[in-house]
């Protein structure tokens, strides 16, 4: 007697597993993975398979890519008004005692019509002979025009054919009832042979959380679709589910009205659940710890590896990929997770990632190329990675950041890696902070490690404590703190305190190394505040090295006239750095960010501009700043200046030893000061100017005045970078027209200054002047100025030498000054000065 049995079965599990149904090893099978030959009845398109119209295109009878079980190939038939498909299969019943036919089948939506595909089967002893009366496979509407899940169908041979050496099964796929287009019919995993009877009851394979109020129950085989959805069959610590859904033939979801407590140990009792053969599950009690796989805290999923620039001539596929690692303690689901780069984003499909498991994200049309390397998730509308640099992020279904990663060409370390098909890897996937600046080129021979541990994997903890690198008021209501290492920041609003008090409105982590404090009131400019830091930890758990308060001030933007060139070392000791010193001549704290040093080229144009800093650079009232390429070495050369203020720049403009021009530019690029220097400005008695700086005597006198520059004192190490000059004019000008400072000096430097400064201050500019030095007996020694047009103020310097450059004898000397104004008025002034000598 002919029999028909059909079993609802989902796509996820193989129905022919020998452990479930005792499949014979000699059963005839066909998975339709072999390429079809476009031959029609009575020729075979596969061994023992015949069709009335076999094609290579997606119509009539054809091989369907991706429509089979788990996305495999399958046999598909498309009935139309002028075509009904006929398929013949040659079988050998005599090889078995009680043979049966089993296969998977479903319908696939085709067009917008509602016409069903009707499938009939019949048996015959010869391919071209007579067949018995066709019988309908399933119900009349078994295969409507919609996308279905696969189901298992079982056919029993007529008794009179059981012992035949050959029997033919004919399947007719007819253009069924309805209107419009007809459904497509798909078959997969055909098998003929003996199948042992299943007498084993189902078992629970696992229980785990599926959502915040859902539990997933996985059975080891298909269960009854009616009994398995009865709420009374389940009890979770006294709670009966509000809804039960059989998502697949062996996968059940229990929904509860309230959220389940994360991390809690639950007990689930299950009873009266049979499999499809009627074998009932024994009453089962399962204990499990509940976790919500859709709750993904920051850094639980890690962007572990990225391949922005693959190459075609290497071992790995020439395809971009991103690898995600589950660094957490429980499995998570990717459903609803957003993945993005700097330009576009996509929502990932559902995929479980177990703890310590890797998941490879790849473009959907090329994802299959990575299947040999591990778990793969195909991503449609793939956000293309930029070779030059990009920012990647993954966020949960609520938009909360899980992890982010930025890279640039410098992330590879060397140019040969950036374009060489090397992936970028992180060393420690358990590191709790952003690792963008810790990315490394893969050192694996394949130049990447998709689906496995990174080649640079290293869990070594950095024990170096962090330091506060910079603190800058970015506005009158915000302060930016920059640290040397990535920092952990939680709720620290109450941890930061100020003297005098500043009320903090919020604390924001700008990036892993920067914290911004936002105030509810405006900070007063030029006022000093002391910041007391809380106990901050870096991402390795090291405590911040800071025990004293941080001194802060909101500076005033420096302008032309506020800062001048104050000292220059253009001829350093061999192997030592040069330096330029600037001075703040105001009573304000000045912001020098974006100020610059430069020089002049051969045509007198500003050249070789070097910016001080992109970060805040504050110089205190009356303060000094020494700018050099090596601050440590400069402090060794000038130990007395070690506590001075220094700025390291990667390079200075060219300042030749013989002479050149130092140009100081403000933040807008305007010239703030200019100093044309040469070796002639050094003291004439200085034997060797190497390692000796030129110091400015007065910022009130232009830098262009040669008398305003002198060699630094030997008693001050021939230089004072970052602090007050050794040669400087102190005090304000008194009521006298002419002042001498000091009145007693030693040109050889045994005591105090090696020169004296003659300053003048007139009631108007336009005077002509003669400045001469005479001995006490009236002999002319030196002419400092002859008929020189004078400004309203200025200075001259005498180094104690005569007109021949020789040092004069110790004793009294007379300064004779003759002044002539525009109207012809004449003034003669005399001042006494003393040249001293060593005792």
């Amino acid at each position: 007697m002919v029999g028909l049995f059909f079993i609802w079965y989902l796509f996820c599990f193989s129905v022919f597993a020998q452990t479930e149904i005792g499949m014979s090893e000699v059963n005839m099978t066909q998975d339709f993975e072999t390429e079809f030959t476009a031959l029609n009845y009575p020729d075979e398109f596969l061994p023992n398979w015949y069709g009335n119209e076999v094609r290579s295109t997606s119509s009539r009878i054809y091989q369907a890519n991706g429509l089979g079980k788990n996305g495999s190939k399958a046999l598909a038939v498309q009935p139309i008004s002028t075509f009904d498909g006929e398929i013949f299969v040659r079988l050998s019943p005599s090889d078995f005692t009680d043979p049966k036919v089993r296969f998977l089948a479903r319908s696939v939506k085709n067009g917008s019509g509602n016409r069903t595909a009707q499938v009939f089967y019949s048996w015959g002893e010869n391919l071209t002979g007579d067949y018995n009366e066709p019988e309908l496979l399933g119900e009349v509407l078994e295969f409507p025009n919609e996308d279905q899940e696969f189901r298992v169908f079982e056919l029993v041979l007529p008794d009179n054919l059981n012992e035949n050496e050959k029997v033919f099964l004919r399947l007719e796929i007819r253009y069924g009832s309805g209107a419009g287009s007809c459904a497509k019919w798909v078959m997969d995993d055909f098998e003929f042979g003996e199948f042992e009877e299943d007498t084993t009851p189902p078992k629970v394979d696992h229980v785990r959380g599926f959502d915040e109020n859902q539990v997933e129950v996985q059975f080891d085989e298909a269960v009854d679709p009616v009994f398995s959805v009865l709420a009374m069959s389940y009890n979770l610590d006294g709670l009966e589910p509000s809804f039960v859904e059989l998502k697949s033939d062996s996968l059940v979801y229990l929904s509860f009205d309230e959220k389940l407590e994360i991390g809690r140990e639950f007990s689930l009792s299950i009873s009266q659940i049979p499999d499809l053969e009627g074998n009932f599950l024994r009453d089962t009690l399962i204990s499990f710890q509940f976790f919500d796989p859709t709750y993904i805290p920051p850094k639980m999923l890690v962007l572990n590896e990225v391949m922005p620039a693959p190459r075609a001539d290497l071992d790995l596929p020439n395809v971009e990929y991103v690898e995600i690692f589950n660094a957490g303690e429980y499995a998570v689901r990717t459903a609803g997770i957003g993945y993005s780069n700097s330009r576009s984003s996509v929502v990932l499909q559902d995929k479980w990632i177990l703890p310590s498991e890797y998941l490879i994200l790849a473009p959907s049309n090329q994802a299959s190329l990575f299947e040999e390397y591990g778990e793969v998730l195909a991503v449609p509308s793939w956000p293309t990675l930029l070779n030059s640099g990009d920012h990647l992020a993954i966020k949960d279904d609520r938009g909360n950041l899980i992890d982010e990663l930025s890279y640039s060409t410098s992330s590879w370390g060397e140019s040969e890696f950036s374009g060489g098909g090397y992936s970028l890897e992180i060393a420690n996937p358990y590191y709790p902070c952003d690792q963008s600046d810790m990315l490394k080129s893969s050192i694996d021979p394949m130049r990447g490690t998709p689906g496995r541990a990174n080649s640079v994997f290293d869990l070594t903890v950095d024990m170096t404590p962090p330091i506060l690198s910079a603190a800058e008021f970015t506005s009158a209501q915000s302060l930016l703190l920059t640290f040397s290492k990535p920092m952990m920041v939680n709720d620290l609003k109450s941890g930061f305190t100020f003297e005098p008090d500043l009320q903090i409105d919020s604390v924001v982590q700008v990036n892993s190394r920067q914290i911004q404090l936002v105030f509810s009131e405006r900070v007063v400019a030029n006022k000093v505040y002391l910041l007391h830091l809380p106990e901050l930890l870096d991402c390795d758990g090291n405590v911040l090295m800071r025990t004293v308060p941080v001194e802060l001030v909101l500076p005033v933007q420096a302008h032309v006239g506020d800062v001048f060139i104050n000292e220059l070392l253009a001829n350093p000791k061999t192997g030592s750095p040069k330096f330029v010193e600037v001075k703040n001549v105001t009573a304000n704290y000045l912001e020098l960010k974006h100020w610059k040093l430069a020089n002049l080229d051969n045509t007198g144009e500003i050249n070789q501009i070097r910016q001080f800093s992109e970060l805040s650079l504050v110089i205190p009232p009356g303060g000094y700043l020494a700018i050099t390429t090596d601050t440590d070495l400069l402090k060794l050369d000038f130990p007395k200046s070690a506590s001075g203020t220094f700025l390291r720049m990667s390079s200075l403009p060219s300042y030749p030893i013989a002479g050149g021009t130092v140009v100081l530019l403000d933040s807008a690029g305007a010239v703030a000061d200019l100093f044309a220097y040469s070796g002639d400005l050094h003291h004439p008695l200085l034997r060797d100017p190497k390692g000796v700086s030129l110091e400015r005597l007065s910022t009130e006198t232009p830098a262009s005045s040669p008398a305003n520059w002198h060699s630094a004192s030997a008693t001050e190490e021939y230089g004072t970078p970052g602090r007050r000059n050794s040669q400087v004019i102190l005090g304000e000008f008194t009521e006298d027209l002419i002042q001498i400072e000091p009145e007693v000096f030693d040109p050889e430097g045994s005591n105090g200054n090696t020169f004296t400064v003659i300053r003048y201050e007139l009631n108007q500019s336009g005077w002509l002047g003669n400045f001469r030095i005479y001995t006490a007996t009236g002999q002319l020694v030196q002419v400092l100025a002859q008929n020189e047009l004078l400004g309203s103020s200025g200075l001259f310097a005498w180094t104690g030498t005569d007109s021949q450059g020789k040092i004069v004898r110790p004793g009294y000397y007379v300064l004779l000054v003759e002044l002539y104004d525009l109207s012809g008025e004449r003034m003669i002034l005399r001042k006494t000065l003393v040249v001293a000598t060593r005792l």
Side-chain angles (χ1 to χ4, degrees), residues 580-624:
V580 176
E581 181 191 78
V582 297
K583 179 181 179 181
N584 175 4
V585 299
T586 74
N588 295 324
Y589 288 87
L590 296 180
E591 176 61 80
L592 294 186
K593 178 171 62 175
H594 299 153
W595 276 57
K596 309 164 188 73
L597 285 177
N599 60 18
L600 297 181
D601 62 16
N602 294 333
T603 65
E605 297 294 323
I606 294 175
N607 190 36
Q608 296 185 0
I609 298 174
R610 303 287 189 270
Q611 182 169 282
F612 285 5
S613 175
E614 282 288 342
L615 301 175
S616 178
L617 181 61
V618 179
I619 184 170
Y624 305 85

XYZ file of all heavy atoms in Angstrom, residues 580-624:
361
model
N 66.641 79.794 21.025
C 66.140 81.161 20.956
C 65.261 81.358 22.182
O 64.419 80.516 22.492
C 65.316 81.408 19.678
C 64.717 82.816 19.693
C 66.169 81.206 18.444
N 65.473 82.481 22.883
C 64.654 82.764 24.058
C 63.766 83.976 23.777
O 64.210 84.953 23.178
C 65.542 83.043 25.261
C 64.761 83.334 26.547
C 65.665 83.863 27.640
O 66.015 85.066 27.592
O 66.021 83.072 28.523
N 62.497 83.871 24.206
C 61.578 85.006 24.097
C 61.141 85.403 25.504
O 61.205 84.602 26.445
C 60.348 84.668 23.225
C 60.767 84.365 21.805
C 59.552 83.511 23.820
N 60.699 86.671 25.623
C 60.316 87.200 26.931
C 58.946 87.850 26.868
O 58.629 88.570 25.920
C 61.353 88.217 27.413
C 61.023 88.837 28.773
C 62.057 89.864 29.192
C 61.693 90.478 30.543
N 62.668 91.499 30.983
N 58.136 87.592 27.900
C 56.846 88.252 28.084
C 57.096 89.558 28.842
O 57.529 89.543 29.997
C 55.900 87.331 28.866
C 54.573 87.988 29.215
O 54.286 89.118 28.816
N 53.753 87.269 29.978
N 56.817 90.706 28.212
C 57.096 91.992 28.853
C 55.850 92.573 29.501
O 55.874 93.727 29.942
C 57.671 92.988 27.822
C 58.980 92.462 27.245
C 56.672 93.277 26.706
N 54.752 91.789 29.564
C 53.505 92.291 30.140
C 53.293 91.729 31.536
O 54.046 90.870 32.011
C 52.303 91.901 29.266
O 52.025 90.506 29.437
C 52.566 92.192 27.800
N 52.229 92.208 32.183
C 51.836 91.703 33.505
C 50.776 90.619 33.389
O 50.151 90.231 34.389
C 51.313 92.853 34.362
N 50.586 90.075 32.171
C 49.558 89.052 31.923
C 50.186 87.693 31.664
O 51.323 87.589 31.178
C 48.710 89.431 30.701
C 47.893 90.681 30.902
O 47.387 90.935 32.001
N 47.774 91.483 29.860
N 49.416 86.652 31.966
C 49.738 85.323 31.471
C 49.351 85.298 29.989
O 48.209 85.592 29.639
C 48.970 84.246 32.231
C 49.452 84.023 33.641
C 48.966 84.781 34.706
C 50.414 83.049 33.903
C 49.404 84.574 35.999
C 50.869 82.837 35.205
C 50.366 83.601 36.249
O 50.816 83.392 37.526
N 50.289 84.966 29.142
C 50.069 85.064 27.692
C 50.002 83.674 27.059
O 50.776 82.778 27.405
C 51.181 85.865 27.034
C 51.297 87.342 27.442
C 52.454 87.992 26.702
C 49.992 88.090 27.173
N 49.085 83.514 26.113
C 48.948 82.289 25.337
C 49.781 82.418 24.064
O 49.557 83.316 23.238
C 47.476 82.056 24.975
C 47.221 80.857 24.072
C 47.650 79.551 24.703
O 46.894 79.032 25.537
O 48.762 79.082 24.367
N 50.785 81.522 23.925
C 51.679 81.555 22.762
C 51.408 80.428 21.779
O 52.216 80.201 20.868
C 53.144 81.488 23.220
C 53.679 82.682 24.023
C 55.168 82.519 24.256
C 53.396 83.985 23.317
N 50.309 79.703 21.964
C 49.962 78.658 20.996
C 49.859 79.271 19.598
O 49.261 80.339 19.425
C 48.640 77.997 21.400
C 48.169 76.928 20.448
C 46.986 76.154 21.010
C 45.769 77.022 21.241
N 44.597 76.216 21.666
N 50.459 78.612 18.625
C 50.443 79.023 17.222
C 51.420 80.167 16.918
O 51.481 80.618 15.780
C 49.029 79.420 16.751
C 48.045 78.304 16.844
N 46.698 78.507 17.019
C 48.217 76.961 16.799
C 46.079 77.349 17.089
N 46.987 76.398 16.959
N 52.179 80.666 17.930
C 53.257 81.596 17.604
C 54.364 80.806 16.900
O 54.436 79.578 16.992
C 53.792 82.270 18.870
C 52.961 83.467 19.271
C 51.636 83.479 19.533
C 53.420 84.808 19.423
N 51.209 84.747 19.847
C 52.295 85.592 19.793
C 54.652 85.433 19.304
C 52.380 86.961 20.028
C 54.748 86.803 19.552
C 53.631 87.560 19.901
N 55.264 81.544 16.208
C 56.211 80.857 15.330
C 57.570 81.539 15.349
O 57.686 82.733 15.623
C 55.680 80.828 13.889
C 54.256 80.315 13.757
C 53.670 80.669 12.410
C 52.183 80.320 12.354
N 51.377 81.270 13.173
N 58.594 80.761 15.020
C 59.921 81.262 14.706
C 60.162 81.098 13.217
O 59.637 80.179 12.586
C 60.997 80.509 15.484
C 61.161 80.821 16.976
C 62.234 79.917 17.574
C 61.513 82.284 17.195
N 60.989 81.999 12.655
C 61.313 81.916 11.233
C 62.670 82.569 11.025
O 63.337 83.022 11.966
C 60.226 82.591 10.398
N 63.103 82.629 9.764
C 64.288 83.397 9.386
C 63.986 84.150 8.097
O 62.838 84.130 7.625
C 65.516 82.490 9.252
C 65.333 81.413 8.196
O 64.465 81.514 7.334
N 66.166 80.376 8.261
N 64.967 84.794 7.546
C 64.822 85.493 6.271
C 65.693 84.798 5.230
O 66.835 84.406 5.523
C 65.229 86.964 6.386
C 64.408 87.845 7.339
C 64.933 89.269 7.313
C 62.929 87.814 6.984
N 65.154 84.641 4.017
C 65.962 84.050 2.955
C 66.840 85.124 2.312
O 66.922 86.260 2.784
C 65.073 83.354 1.930
C 64.105 84.309 1.232
O 64.316 85.533 1.314
O 63.133 83.825 0.600
N 67.506 84.764 1.228
C 68.453 85.677 0.584
C 67.789 86.912 0.009
O 68.449 87.932 -0.217
C 69.207 84.945 -0.527
C 70.110 83.851 0.028
O 70.565 83.948 1.176
N 70.354 82.820 -0.752
N 66.467 86.829 -0.243
C 65.751 87.983 -0.793
C 65.071 88.808 0.290
O 64.373 89.769 -0.014
C 64.697 87.503 -1.810
O 63.701 86.731 -1.118
C 65.334 86.676 -2.904
N 65.270 88.417 1.547
C 64.655 89.151 2.642
C 63.236 88.735 2.960
O 62.560 89.384 3.765
N 62.779 87.622 2.382
C 61.440 87.114 2.645
C 61.459 86.154 3.828
O 62.449 85.453 4.058
C 60.876 86.397 1.406
C 60.684 87.291 0.196
C 59.620 88.346 0.423
O 58.610 88.032 1.098
O 59.804 89.480 -0.062
N 60.354 86.145 4.563
C 60.238 85.242 5.708
C 60.266 83.796 5.226
O 59.579 83.431 4.270
C 58.942 85.529 6.489
C 59.028 86.929 7.127
C 58.702 84.467 7.560
C 57.754 87.357 7.818
N 61.057 82.985 5.896
C 61.311 81.625 5.420
C 61.402 80.667 6.610
O 61.602 81.075 7.746
C 62.631 81.619 4.628
C 62.847 80.314 3.892
O 61.913 79.705 3.405
N 64.092 79.891 3.799
N 61.229 79.363 6.321
C 61.394 78.278 7.309
C 60.600 78.539 8.589
O 61.138 78.547 9.700
C 62.874 78.071 7.641
C 63.706 77.607 6.465
C 65.134 77.292 6.859
O 65.518 77.421 8.007
N 65.930 76.869 5.890
N 59.321 78.722 8.446
C 58.446 79.002 9.591
C 58.258 77.730 10.419
O 57.930 76.671 9.878
C 57.087 79.543 9.111
C 57.298 80.876 8.358
C 56.133 79.740 10.278
C 56.031 81.418 7.720
N 58.468 77.838 11.728
C 58.296 76.707 12.644
C 57.340 77.132 13.765
O 57.619 78.081 14.497
C 59.626 76.274 13.262
C 60.692 75.898 12.254
C 60.410 74.559 11.594
N 61.537 74.128 10.801
C 61.716 74.408 9.508
N 60.794 75.141 8.876
N 62.776 73.976 8.854
N 56.218 76.404 13.887
C 55.219 76.755 14.906
C 55.631 76.234 16.278
O 56.165 75.137 16.402
C 53.860 76.181 14.515
C 52.730 76.528 15.479
C 51.376 76.162 14.920
O 50.824 76.839 14.087
N 50.832 75.057 15.394
N 55.359 77.057 17.321
C 55.699 76.649 18.681
C 54.964 75.366 19.067
O 55.560 74.372 19.442
C 55.314 77.744 19.681
C 56.230 78.937 19.693
C 57.264 79.057 18.772
C 56.074 79.943 20.618
C 58.114 80.154 18.769
C 56.910 81.048 20.640
C 57.931 81.151 19.710
N 53.628 75.416 19.005
C 52.839 74.290 19.525
C 51.407 74.387 19.046
O 50.885 75.473 18.793
C 52.860 74.285 21.055
O 52.027 73.286 21.584
N 50.766 73.212 18.903
C 49.330 73.141 18.641
C 48.546 73.166 19.946
O 47.360 73.466 19.957
C 48.987 71.862 17.866
C 49.294 71.916 16.377
C 48.353 72.815 15.603
O 47.271 73.125 16.134
O 48.706 73.220 14.488
N 49.236 72.835 21.043
C 48.600 72.831 22.351
C 48.813 74.174 23.040
O 49.573 75.023 22.579
C 49.175 71.709 23.215
C 49.027 70.290 22.667
C 49.747 69.299 23.565
C 47.569 69.919 22.506
N 48.127 74.358 24.139
C 48.264 75.592 24.891
C 49.701 75.756 25.378
O 50.332 74.810 25.855
C 47.308 75.584 26.086
O 47.453 76.757 26.854
N 50.220 76.979 25.250
C 51.582 77.286 25.680
C 51.536 78.637 26.394
O 51.444 79.690 25.759
C 52.516 77.331 24.476
C 53.987 77.622 24.757
C 54.581 76.546 25.655
C 54.770 77.715 23.456
N 51.564 78.599 27.719
C 51.369 79.802 28.532
C 52.710 80.265 29.095
O 53.470 79.461 29.645
C 50.374 79.548 29.680
C 50.202 80.806 30.515
C 49.026 79.095 29.109
N 52.969 81.550 28.968
C 54.169 82.147 29.539
C 53.727 83.158 30.585
O 52.845 83.985 30.331
C 55.030 82.789 28.428
C 56.345 83.328 28.992
C 54.289 83.866 27.668
C 57.340 83.744 27.903
N 54.281 83.109 31.807
C 53.792 83.963 32.895
C 54.213 85.420 32.708
O 55.057 85.738 31.864
C 54.439 83.346 34.135
C 55.681 82.705 33.619
C 55.346 82.199 32.251
N 53.659 86.310 33.516
C 54.049 87.726 33.444
C 55.553 87.892 33.643
O 56.127 87.345 34.584
C 53.262 88.368 34.589
C 52.097 87.465 34.809
C 52.593 86.091 34.511
N 56.194 88.633 32.726
C 57.635 88.832 32.807
C 58.438 87.573 32.614
O 59.643 87.543 32.886
N 57.804 86.491 32.141
C 58.459 85.197 32.041
C 59.278 85.024 30.783
O 59.187 85.787 29.815
N 60.096 83.967 30.789
C 61.013 83.657 29.696
C 60.671 82.266 29.152
O 60.204 81.388 29.885
C 62.461 83.669 30.167
C 62.880 84.967 30.833
C 62.643 85.169 32.204
C 63.501 85.966 30.114
C 63.022 86.349 32.821
C 63.884 87.159 30.733
C 63.638 87.349 32.081
O 64.013 88.510 32.694
